[in-house]
Amino acid sequence: MRVITKETIVNELKKIGLEKNDIVMVHTSLKSMGYVCGGAQTIIEALIDVVGSKGTIMMPTQSWKNLDPETGVHWDADESDWQLIRDNWPAYDKDITPTNTMGAVAEMFRTWPGSIRSDHPARSVCAWGKHAAYLTQNHDLSDIFGETSPLAKLYELNGKVLLLGVGYDKNTSLHLADVRAEYPGKHNCTEYSAIMENGMRVWKKYDTLFVDGEDFDAIGASFEEHRNVKSGSIGNAVIRLMNQRELVDYAVQWIGANRK
């Protein structure tokens, strides 16, 4: 197995078009790449080396287990214990609460010096760099992926999306298209999360758009047929770089035409 160094990663990122001062949403699977010398730390350092101190990196740092057991996120607990979970799940603390299945890179990134994490208890993002504070501020409970969310702010800043060893099913920006598109069956749902409110831990109720992402891979395949997506590889992993605004605009049209 060939060892992957930071130099290799930096070169491959530059080759597909990641540049100094870029604003980029990054989704990663470290294990898909193979043997990365230094692991998650090396990936983050390589990203910072490429975009520089005036660039911005954002990653999903979701803690989606901080949701009601009825949604299925606590499948390993008996239904008879659901109320115990509601009463005892720790309140979200952006400095402490770990990510859930976001990968080793995102988990390290949330504690990286200079990183700022948003306040959403289940669907947070973390950002580092010039626009980190702007991207992460005021992440409303009910507007997870919508017009005041970090995703919409990335769209406003004309940012990019970088997929490192993951597919479009992990491409969170497509949820912004969910919000903007019109399609049959579009509806809100009620969620609950443990948060601190007025110094007290509460099980907070909020309404938000219901999304599932089942067609995101199909959207991605169609997008790549019609738009410019630069791709390459790091070790065993396929990497892709795209303009987020182009992706979202295309997905809005695709969803409107194809989602039934």
Side-chain angles (χ1 to χ4, degrees):
M1 180 180 293
R2 186 178 179 185
V3 173
I4 303 163
T5 65
K6 183 169 75 170
E7 181 182 7
T8 297
I9 297 166
V10 167
N11 289 339
E12 291 302 320
L13 293 176
K14 289 180 177 179
K15 191 182 297 184
I16 64 168
L18 192 65
E19 299 175 332
K20 188 175 181 180
N21 302 334
D22 271 349
I23 306 161
V24 60
M25 176 67 150
V26 182
H27 301 271
T28 65
S29 170
L30 178 62
K31 66 181 180 180
S32 72
M33 299 177 195
Y35 191 99
V36 176
C37 185
Q41 178 180 343
T42 296
I43 299 294
I44 296 168
E45 288 182 355
L47 289 164
I48 291 172
D49 284 357
V50 175
V51 304
S53 60
K54 293 184 179 179
T56 308
I57 301 162
M58 185 162 71
M59 295 188 195
T61 50
Q62 297 182 23
S63 47
W64 48 260
K65 284 211 166 187
N66 190 1
L67 290 170
D68 197 271
E70 192 170 333
T71 64
V73 297
H74 297 281
W75 60 87
D76 47 351
D78 292 334
E79 186 172 349
S80 59
D81 288 329
W82 284 2
Q83 193 57 47
L84 274 174
I85 294 171
R86 296 180 181 114
D87 293 341
N88 291 280
W89 195 264
Y92 175 70
D93 183 329
K94 63 183 177 183
D95 295 323
I96 297 173
T97 302
T99 60
N100 297 136
T101 65
M102 295 292 104
V105 178
E107 175 61 19
M108 177 173 279
F109 186 68
R110 75 173 180 84
T111 63
W112 196 265
S115 284
I116 302 173
R117 195 177 185 186
S118 73
D119 288 325
H120 201 281
R123 307 294 188 183
S124 68
V125 301
C126 194
W128 173 97
K130 180 178 179 180
H131 298 285
Y134 173 67
L135 286 166
T136 55
Q137 69 187 6
N138 302 324
H139 195 175
D140 187 79
L141 272 174
S142 293
D143 195 22
I144 298 173
F145 303 121
E147 298 303 339
T148 67
S149 73
L151 295 179
K153 293 173 183 176
L154 183 68
Y155 183 98
E156 173 199 330
L157 294 170
N158 199 25
K160 296 178 179 179
V161 175
L162 177 63
L163 305 179
L164 298 177
V166 300
Y168 283 86
D169 60 319
K170 306 298 184 185
N171 196 333
T172 310
S173 291
L174 291 173
H175 287 306
L176 179 57
D178 276 324
V179 173
R180 294 180 174 179
E182 294 299 329
Y183 52 91
K186 185 177 182 180
H187 67 284
N188 280 6
C189 63
T190 300
E191 302 278 20
Y192 298 84
S193 295
I195 66 169
M196 295 298 294
E197 192 172 68
N198 300 319
M200 299 283 291
R201 182 240 182 235
V202 298
W203 190 239
K204 186 74 172 181
K205 177 181 179 180
Y206 53 100
D207 290 328
T208 189
L209 180 68
F210 176 82
V211 293
D212 59 29
E214 288 185 0
D215 53 11
F216 283 7
D217 280 330
I219 295 171
S222 181
F223 179 68
E224 292 197 5
E225 289 179 1
H226 296 91
R227 297 291 187 273
N228 181 31
V229 176
K230 297 177 181 178
S231 63
S233 63
I234 296 175
N236 301 324
V238 175
I239 63 174
R240 297 178 173 89
L241 184 70
M242 64 207 72
N243 178 275
Q244 192 236 26
R245 191 177 290 176
E246 289 183 5
L247 172 68
V248 171
D249 290 349
Y250 183 87
V252 168
Q253 298 301 316
W254 191 98
I255 290 169
N258 294 280
R259 189 176 288 179
K260 307 301 181 187

